[in-house]
Amino acid sequence: MKNRKHTLKEWIIAVRPWSFPASAMPVIVSLGYIMWKSSGAGFETNWYFGIWALVNIMLFHSAGNTWSDYFDFKKSVDAEDTFGVRTLTSGMFTPKEIMGLSICLLVISLAGGIALLAFTGLPLLWIGLAGLACALLYPSLKYRALGDLVIFVAFALLPTLGTAFVTTGNLMWDILWLTPPVGLITVAILHANNARDISTDSRAHIRTFAMDIGQPASRAIYYAELIVPFVWITACSLCGIFPLLSMIALIAVIPAIGNIRMMSRSKSGDMTTIGTLDEMTAKLQIIFSMLLTISFVIASFI
């Protein structure tokens, strides 16, 4: 297949921007939390570094997406009859182009991370190296049923800690209270994808967590990944860990119920019923996280 000139739209499609809520929302929620905490504590914050971290993690996520797509295509995890990204299976891009794009994005994001490290401090190095390891090892670990764990670390634990450090200059361990609610919904995006693709992933001779536990348990896990965040927010708000206003995020239970109903339809065995559930879960992540962020921002002024 010969390389051809691509449009800007095709390049944008190649990096899968609809998946960016997984990386952007943990940073945005963390910035909201920091704003609330700093309003009473009076410690200094550098919001420019926080925005820098947001842009950089999205670039890094783009590199990870294309890196993963390359290996999924090579291992026949993605084929013409599978759901999801079709940049390679449709012939829009060649594997060489996708790998080249991935390397370019990785170099740019690493350069941005190193520059931010120079302005902040050594702890960011270890957070960044852990993130790099998650990105590069993700395909291999995903094929061994460890993808869910890697996603939680890469898009919950590391972004919250990293955002807090570059913004405040300190490791705010209390910010980890944010990781279960935001992280579980992010993991649910992947889990919805894997639950849908059990049969095609099995054909490709890989293992996923959804495949290991089977369809009935996969549905139950997905329900839990959407329900626990709302229970967590309620408990943290009532205990004073989060402001009471954080319960505004409970409004997102409305789309969450819709997602749960969609997953329940997969009992019929027809996986086309959850063909867009990963996308719908990403939309839920946006709604939930933005509501939570708004609650922190409002609470910072009260």
Side-chain angles (χ1 to χ4, degrees), residues 33 47 130-131 140-141 150 152 161 181 201-202 211 221 227 230 255 264 267 269 276 290 293 298:
Y33 179 84
W47 300 112
S140 177
L141 294 173
V150 175
F152 187 83
L161 281 175
D201 286 345
S202 177
M211 185 188 300
I221 290 295
I227 293 170
F230 295 100
S264 70
K267 291 179 182 179
T276 60
M290 289 308 299
T293 302
I298 295 173

Side-chain angles (χ1 to χ4, degrees), residues 180-190 225-226 229-230 281-282 284-286 288-289:
V182 178
L184 283 175
I185 296 178
T186 296
V187 172
I189 300 173
L190 173 67
E225 288 169 341
L226 263 57
F230 295 100
T281 309
L284 171 64
Q285 177 68 289
I286 295 174
F288 177 85
S289 297

Side-chain angles (χ1 to χ4, degrees), residues 1 4 6 9-18 65-66 68-70 72-73 76-95 97-98 193 196-197 200 203 275 278:
M1 185 185 299
R4 64 178 180 85
H6 297 287
K9 181 180 179 180
E10 287 176 334
W11 287 114
I12 292 173
I13 291 172
V15 300
R16 288 190 274 145
W18 53 86
N65 280 346
T66 47
S68 179
D69 290 345
Y70 173 85
D72 282 352
F73 180 75
S76 298
V77 175
D78 289 339
E80 291 184 5
D81 62 341
T82 56
F83 291 94
V85 65
R86 301 189 60 80
T87 50
L88 285 168
T89 57
S90 68
M92 181 187 296
F93 288 90
T94 66
E97 287 174 326
I98 290 296
N193 181 293
R196 178 196 66 198
D197 294 343
T200 53
R203 183 184 64 193
D278 53 351

Side-chain angles (χ1 to χ4, degrees), residues 216-292:
S218 287
R219 287 192 293 272
I221 290 295
Y222 182 81
Y223 301 155
E225 288 169 341
L226 263 57
I227 293 170
V228 169
F230 295 100
V231 175
W232 188 276
I233 291 297
T234 301
C236 286
S237 299
L238 295 176
C239 293
I241 297 170
F242 297 159
L244 279 174
L245 276 170
S246 295
M247 294 180 73
I248 291 173
L250 298 184
I251 295 173
V253 77
I254 297 171
I257 290 172
N259 285 10
I260 288 172
R261 286 175 175 170
M262 182 182 287
M263 175 59 92
S264 70
R265 290 198 286 271
S266 68
K267 291 179 182 179
S268 66
D270 181 7
M271 292 301 103
T272 61
T273 59
I274 57 172
T276 60
L277 187 56
D278 53 351
E279 180 183 340
M280 298 304 296
T281 309
K283 291 178 179 178
L284 171 64
Q285 177 68 289
I286 295 174
I287 296 169
F288 177 85
S289 297
M290 289 308 299
L291 286 170
L292 187 56

Side-chain angles (χ1 to χ4, degrees), residues 7-8 17 20 24 34 57 60 66 82 93 104 106 133 143 158 179 183 223 227 233 249-250 253 276:
T7 64
L8 176 61
F20 288 170
I34 293 165
I57 195 172
F60 200 72
T66 47
T82 56
F93 288 90
C104 286
L106 186 60
Y143 303 152
L158 298 179
T179 58
Y223 301 155
I227 293 170
I233 291 297
L250 298 184
V253 77
T276 60

Side-chain angles (χ1 to χ4, degrees), residues 41-64:
F43 54 79
E44 293 185 4
T45 52
N46 190 317
W47 300 112
Y48 294 109
F49 287 168
I51 299 300
W52 186 342
L54 174 61
V55 173
N56 215 65
I57 195 172
M58 291 171 69
L59 283 169
F60 200 72
H61 189 182
S62 299

